Amino acid sequence: MLSKGSVQLDIQNNQKRTPLLEAVSQGHLGMTHKLIALGANVNAVDGEGNSCLHLAVERKKFNSEDAPLDLLNECCTSLNLKEDEMLSGVVVGRYLASQGADFHHKNNKYNTPLDLIKDPNLRRKLEAFLPPQCLWCRNKAATTKVHPCGHLVICKGCSNVTLQRCLKCGKPVTSRTGDEAPKFEDRCVQTEATCQELGAASQAIGAPKSEDRCVKKSYMSGLGAASQAIGSPVLKERDLLRVAKRLGRDWWQVVIVLEVDTTKLKIDDESNVTVKQGHQILYEWFKNCDPETRTHATLRAALEEAECFAAMECLSLDAK
């Protein structure tokens, strides 16, 4: 039937079990492997909320017919188990996890597959190979990684949550990668239409290349006017403070891009008071720039060129 290519792999029976769940429940590891290879949903659940992992870890031994013995051997070795345990439920669970099964999923009794493993030492060994739990919903494996810290913090279902800081270490988030994680730019603009309008406006006024410093001031002025025309908020002094807090020691990069004259400012390159110095520089630009350029979009463009992405996130076009 599988060779025909027209089987509904995730069809459910009256217990809401898919063919994959039935194969695991009855210990048919070879069929389990084939179904996964053909694209069966490895995280399907039955009427009691049990996934293939719940069913696997509760089974003592699986049938070896057509089983992927090489993969099972690797899983068995990684758990420091003996060869005669290669077909045990825990080793099969480790194999299923390597195929994308979620060990953090809770069934209707609020038990994860890990909760069903009675041996605490074995449970700890298995946990060492699993992706971390989503720190937002606490119910799924984290699949979205935030940068620059690189921590996995939220699951696919929570990937629409906008994070300013990493939920694990608290560091500012500049970008993120993972399942359906929105790109940084997608979170910083109000709508796709707004982004396209601003891009068209900047092209219309002749966006300069980075080396064309001679026309930069007129470009920034034109960008400010264009962004005002499409509704980019006007900057306020409190916005400058928010940006300064995110700049840290990168304030000097903004000095270069905004071409701020620092000769009249009391700037100490070695000072640890980075927020105060960053605010000084931003306020100096704010006072002396063309009023039409005092918009979120203008400063955000400068921060992007200076590669100060954490600070740039403060200035999404929909900020108030």
Side-chain angles (χ1 to χ4, degrees):
M1 290 175 67
L2 292 178
S3 66
K4 298 292 183 181
S6 58
V7 176
Q8 296 182 49
L9 295 175
D10 295 322
I11 193 171
Q12 295 177 316
N13 61 13
N14 58 4
Q15 293 179 301
K16 293 191 176 180
R17 284 190 177 177
T18 64
L20 175 62
L21 291 174
E22 284 288 357
V24 174
S25 175
Q26 297 183 37
H28 297 301
L29 192 50
M31 182 56 66
T32 298
H33 181 64
K34 288 179 181 179
L35 288 166
I36 291 175
L38 289 171
N41 181 9
V42 75
N43 284 308
V45 297
D46 63 17
E48 297 180 352
N50 293 314
S51 69
C52 62
L53 288 170
H54 288 91
L55 303 175
V57 298
E58 288 195 305
R59 189 174 183 85
K60 291 183 178 180
K61 195 169 183 179
F62 280 75
N63 191 312
S64 63
E65 184 179 357
D66 295 327
L69 297 180
D70 53 340
L71 296 176
L72 291 172
N73 185 52
E74 290 178 11
C75 294
C76 188
T77 302
S78 68
L79 294 172
N80 295 319
L81 296 177
K82 297 178 180 179
E83 188 176 346
D84 59 2
E85 296 178 275
M86 186 169 61
L87 296 172
S88 66
V90 173
V91 173
V92 172
R94 169 78 178 92
Y95 156 71
L96 291 171
S98 72
Q99 302 301 306
D102 184 5
F103 253 104
H104 298 295
H105 171 72
K106 296 177 182 178
N107 62 15
N108 295 352
K109 295 181 180 180
Y110 298 98
N111 289 321
T112 69
L114 287 170
D115 294 330
L116 303 180
I117 300 174
K118 297 179 181 180
D119 186 336
N121 293 324
L122 199 52
R123 186 163 58 244
R124 281 194 294 270
K125 286 180 181 179
L126 193 54
E127 284 178 324
F129 295 94
L130 304 181
Q133 186 181 42
C134 174
L135 297 178
W136 187 263
C137 69
R138 304 279 178 178
N139 194 43
K140 296 287 184 179
T143 56
T144 299
K145 182 182 290 187
V146 295
H147 302 284
C149 63
H151 290 135
L152 283 167
V153 292
I154 54 178
C155 66
K156 182 177 180 179
C158 298
S159 60
N160 62 331
V161 175
T162 299
L163 298 177
Q164 299 288 337
R165 294 182 176 274
C166 174
L167 294 172
K168 186 171 184 178
C169 67
K171 291 183 179 179
V173 174
T174 59
S175 62
R176 47 202 274 191
T177 54
D179 291 336
E180 297 184 359
K183 295 180 181 179
F184 176 75
E185 293 82 359
D186 295 336
R187 303 198 315 279
C188 289
V189 294
Q190 185 174 14
T191 62
E192 183 179 354
T194 302
C195 181
Q196 290 174 346
E197 287 175 5
L198 184 56
S202 63
Q203 285 185 349
I205 62 174
K209 297 178 181 179
S210 58
E211 61 269 19
D212 296 336
R213 300 298 182 188
C214 59
V215 296
K216 183 168 184 176
K217 288 186 178 179
S218 61
Y219 164 65
M220 295 295 280
S221 177
L223 178 59
S227 62
Q228 280 189 344
I230 63 172
S232 177
V234 175
L235 279 170
K236 299 177 181 179
E237 286 192 46
R238 67 169 178 265
D239 296 323
L240 303 180
L241 179 59
R242 288 166 54 209
V243 172
K245 288 180 178 179
R246 294 289 191 92
L247 276 176
R249 293 186 176 276
D250 292 337
W251 55 262
W252 63 270
Q253 297 170 219
V254 181
V255 171
I256 296 172
V257 174
L258 291 177
E259 299 179 351
V260 177
D261 182 3
T262 60
T263 56
K264 298 179 181 179
L265 300 178
K266 295 180 180 179
I267 298 295
D268 179 5
D269 291 350
E270 302 300 322
S271 173
N272 291 321
V273 190
T274 56
V275 174
K276 185 175 181 179
Q277 295 194 142
H279 183 266
Q280 269 189 285
I281 289 156
L282 292 172
Y283 187 68
E284 183 69 13
W285 166 77
F286 183 84
K287 287 191 306 179
N288 298 304
C289 70
D290 185 332
E292 290 188 349
T293 68
R294 292 176 188 160
T295 66
H296 283 223
T298 305
L299 182 53
R300 185 172 175 273
L303 292 169
E304 184 172 17
E305 184 175 345
E307 297 185 355
C308 297
F309 300 117
M312 188 175 78
E313 188 172 302
C314 294
L315 297 171
S316 59
L317 293 180
D318 59 348
K320 301 296 182 186

